[in-house]
Amino acid sequence: MPTDDELYYLAELFKIFGDQTRIKILYTLLDGEMCVQDIADSIGMSQSSISHQLRVLKQSQLVKFRRDGRTIYYMLADQHVCTIMNQGLEHIQE
């Protein structure tokens, strides 16, 4: 059995997946790194809304970023995020 702290952080992680906009952002980033405007255009939302959700995703270590001049590119933090997304979708499709 995981420790209470581990269970707490796991529950917090799953809360992040409870928002449809964040899920859309993560699925968009499955295709590779993108800047905020490209993510916003892809999802059909404002740049401000996307930036707010990216902040939450960064704090949860689900996405990371790199700066190229004035542009910031976001990508999935690691392969685990892709695995979580794919397994979740597989589970609901059964």
Side-chain angles (χ1 to χ4, degrees):
M1 176 68 113
T3 67
D4 285 347
D5 281 347
E6 290 171 327
L7 291 172
Y8 170 80
Y9 290 117
L10 183 59
E12 290 299 309
L13 174 67
F14 282 123
K15 284 181 189 178
I16 301 303
F17 290 100
D19 181 272
Q20 187 174 1
T21 299
R22 289 192 289 263
I23 294 293
K24 287 179 181 179
I25 292 169
L26 292 172
Y27 267 108
T28 300
L29 293 175
L30 284 173
D31 293 333
E33 68 179 24
M34 298 176 84
C35 68
V36 175
Q37 188 60 57
D38 289 343
I39 296 169
D41 291 344
S42 176
I43 295 174
M45 296 182 69
S46 72
Q47 191 172 356
S48 173
S49 297
I50 298 301
S51 292
H52 171 74
Q53 297 302 337
L54 282 168
R55 192 172 319 117
V56 173
L57 291 167
K58 280 191 313 188
Q59 290 171 344
S60 301
Q61 299 177 345
L62 294 172
V63 299
K64 59 184 180 179
F65 67 95
R66 73 172 180 87
R67 185 178 301 272
D68 184 12
R70 297 186 68 194
T71 306
I72 299 175
Y73 292 93
Y74 292 88
M75 73 255 353
L76 297 179
D78 56 37
Q79 188 61 35
H80 295 112
V81 179
C82 181
T83 300
I84 292 167
M85 300 293 291
N86 288 332
Q87 287 185 343
L89 187 59
E90 183 181 319
H91 178 74
I92 63 163
Q93 290 176 336
E94 286 186 2

